[in-house]
Amino acid sequence: SSSREDSVSAAAAVVQVQQRRHQQGKVTVKYDRKELRKRLVLEEWIVEQLGQLYGCEEEEMPEVEIDIDDLLDAANEEERALKLQETLVDCYKPTEEFIKELLTRIRGMRKLSPPQKKSI
């Protein structure tokens, strides 16, 4: 009887994995792939720049979180710049160029909020 239970639980595990894969597939379809790609490139650039600013590898970097959607929510460039300055307050190197470049790069980007269901 126990080998039958094992095969049943193994089958259930396979179904779960397939469901998870299916869900991941749906997520990428819901969002505009170009927008996701731009976001990924931007995030990689941010990590690289923070490494240079803090003079360390990603693993050694202090806990610095730059939330792009949060920046996009800001009313204007000045507010965005202030948020970034507050985030980078511990950085001993000048951050003005990084902030200016980041603000330029996010111009025209959209928030990645969950997409609205299209009404028929």
Side-chain angles (χ1 to χ4, degrees), residues 39-80:
R39 181 68 63 108
L40 184 63
V41 167
L42 178 63
E43 287 179 1
E44 287 170 353
W45 177 82
I46 289 172
V47 168
E48 184 186 309
Q49 295 299 307
L50 290 176
Q52 290 174 13
L53 283 173
Y54 285 93
C56 61
E57 296 300 312
E58 189 177 342
E59 300 78 45
E60 304 161 339
M61 207 177 297
E63 198 58 42
V64 176
E65 190 175 327
I66 295 178
D67 183 338
I68 297 166
D69 286 333
D70 187 43
L71 291 174
L72 292 172
D73 270 343
N76 53 40
E77 294 272 309
E78 289 77 30
E79 198 177 304
R80 289 177 183 160

Side-chain angles (χ1 to χ4, degrees), residues 69-111:
D69 286 333
D70 187 43
L71 291 174
L72 292 172
D73 270 343
N76 53 40
E77 294 272 309
E78 289 77 30
E79 198 177 304
R80 289 177 183 160
L82 275 173
K83 283 182 181 212
L84 286 167
Q85 285 167 354
E86 287 169 15
T87 304
L88 300 169
V89 75
D90 297 340
C91 186
Y92 61 91
K93 289 185 181 175
T95 58
E96 293 78 22
E97 280 304 309
F98 167 72
I99 291 173
K100 209 162 71 179
E101 179 67 22
L102 178 55
L103 293 178
T104 302
R105 286 175 181 242
I106 67 171
R107 224 173 268 137
M109 279 187 128
R110 293 191 307 267
K111 277 183 65 181

